[in-house]
Amino acid sequence: MDAQRNLTVAVAGGTGTLGSAVAEELRGRGHRVRVLSRHSPDHPVDLTTGQGLAGALAGCDVVVDASNSTSPKKARTTLVDGSRLLLAAEERAGVGHHVGISIVGCEKVPIGYYRTKVAQERVVESGPVGWSMVRATQFHELVAGVLAPLARCGVHPLPKARLQTVAAVEVAHAVADVAERPALRGRVEVAGPEIADLRDLALQWRAAHRSRVLPVPVPLPGAVGRALRAGALTTGRPDVRGTTTFAQWLAGR
Ligand SMILES: NC(=O)c1ccc[n+]([C@@H]2O[C@H](COP(=O)([O-])OP(=O)(O)OC[C@H]3O[C@@H](n4cnc5c(N)ncnc54)[C@H](OP(=O)(O)O)[C@@H]3O)[C@@H](O)[C@H]2O)c1
């Protein structure tokens, strides 16, 4: 099926790391894009209450949900309850396609945020609107965003964790491809070009920033540590493989 042209696409979380890249990619392909978020100047919405959704979604063909909350108190309300409110509003507005965003391997790592993502996937995949689910690995931006403030404290505490980081802009490209096609009722996995240990990524970050931050290996006990060491958040066979390595991404900033 050919990609659809001239769509009106709402990007929930369209001011965030992934959402802003998705909005830019879709605009570049000639679609009409509405950026939805609490602080959006044009389409302020709050997914925890549903406020603003009816007006923001009227006339939309597709919704990409790139909203996020990692706060232990707000993640469930924003992502799981928020998805229910968003899908109900989409159904009322006649939206034909909901593109959800999730995480490669999230069902394999027993931490609260990943459980929330699994619950959000279930809400979308059993919901009233035709759906596609794009699962991505961790963004280069996330790793850099964790390492930078730690470096200001002089220490990088580093558990052993195999990651396959990917540039958010490459995930956005894959999300836009999915948004332009009819609902898959299935998943697409997007992953970075190489699997690397967090400790090696931190050394790359240190070199790129000529930082003297002290890397400190720390143990991560239990099921979470085992899963991360075993590469539960990586995939050997992604549907889409990004090409920009973490080192290249750091060099290009
Ligand atoms: N970061 C990663 O490494 C990574 C990897 C794989 C998958 N993902 C997935 O990608 C998606 C986007 O993540 P991200 O890191 O790009 O997020 P992000 O940068 O934290 O952006 C979150 C967005 O959600 C909006 N938002 C938060 N609470 C809201 C609410 N109550 N109502 C409406 N909008 C709200 C924020 O805008 P306002 O503050 O203006 O509301 C912002 O636009 C998530 O599903 C995440 O699980 C992320």
Side-chain angles (χ1 to χ4, degrees):
M1 177 79 74
D2 285 343
Q4 295 167 285
R5 299 287 161 213
N6 299 314
L7 295 167
T8 300
V9 186
V11 183
T15 56
T17 305
L18 178 62
S20 57
V22 170
E24 194 178 330
E25 177 67 29
L26 287 167
R27 275 199 201 99
R29 297 183 188 198
H31 301 292
R32 290 171 298 279
V33 175
R34 296 182 193 170
V35 167
L36 278 54
S37 87
R38 290 167 302 179
H39 303 100
S40 165
D42 298 325
H43 300 285
V45 305
D46 189 339
L47 291 168
T48 63
T49 61
Q51 201 177 353
L53 285 176
L57 296 182
C60 283
D61 304 297
V62 181
V63 171
V64 174
D65 182 8
S67 66
N68 200 15
S69 171
T70 50
S71 136
K73 281 192 183 149
K74 289 194 191 149
R76 212 171 172 90
T77 340
T78 308
L79 300 177
V80 183
D81 304 337
S83 287
R84 282 199 193 94
L85 290 173
L86 182 58
L87 289 162
E90 289 172 24
E91 189 183 24
R92 284 194 291 275
V95 172
H97 186 187
H98 176 103
V99 182
I101 313 290
S102 193
I103 300 171
V104 168
C106 59
E107 75 285 4
K108 298 180 193 158
V109 182
I111 60 175
Y113 176 70
Y114 288 149
R115 288 198 182 103
T116 300
K117 292 299 294 180
V118 171
Q120 182 188 30
E121 286 184 339
R122 286 202 191 109
V123 167
V124 170
E125 293 174 6
S126 62
V129 177
W131 59 274
S132 307
M133 187 63 66
V134 178
R135 279 182 152 205
T137 52
Q138 287 60 50
F139 304 159
H140 297 325
E141 286 84 348
L142 175 72
V143 173
V146 171
L147 294 176
L150 286 171
R152 287 196 280 278
C153 306
V155 176
H156 273 165
L158 298 165
K160 220 168 159 34
R162 281 161 71 75
L163 299 176
Q164 195 171 0
T165 59
V166 63
V169 72
E170 293 187 318
V171 179
H173 191 278
V175 170
D177 285 348
V178 169
E180 284 182 326
R181 293 190 155 74
L184 288 168
R185 295 193 178 274
R187 295 175 181 172
V188 170
E189 290 200 329
V190 187
E194 59 186 13
I195 296 176
D197 196 278
L198 175 61
R199 293 175 181 177
D200 296 323
L201 298 177
L203 289 179
Q204 291 172 22
W205 186 94
R206 194 173 181 269
H209 289 84
R210 296 194 173 87
S211 163
R212 300 170 70 144
V213 59
L214 184 68
V216 179
V218 293
L220 192 58
V224 173
R226 276 196 300 281
L228 293 180
R229 285 192 293 279
L233 297 176
T234 67
T235 171
R237 293 187 177 192
D239 300 295
V240 179
R241 194 185 285 274
T243 58
T244 309
T245 64
F246 188 57
Q248 289 166 340
W249 179 84
L250 284 168
R253 290 174 89 195

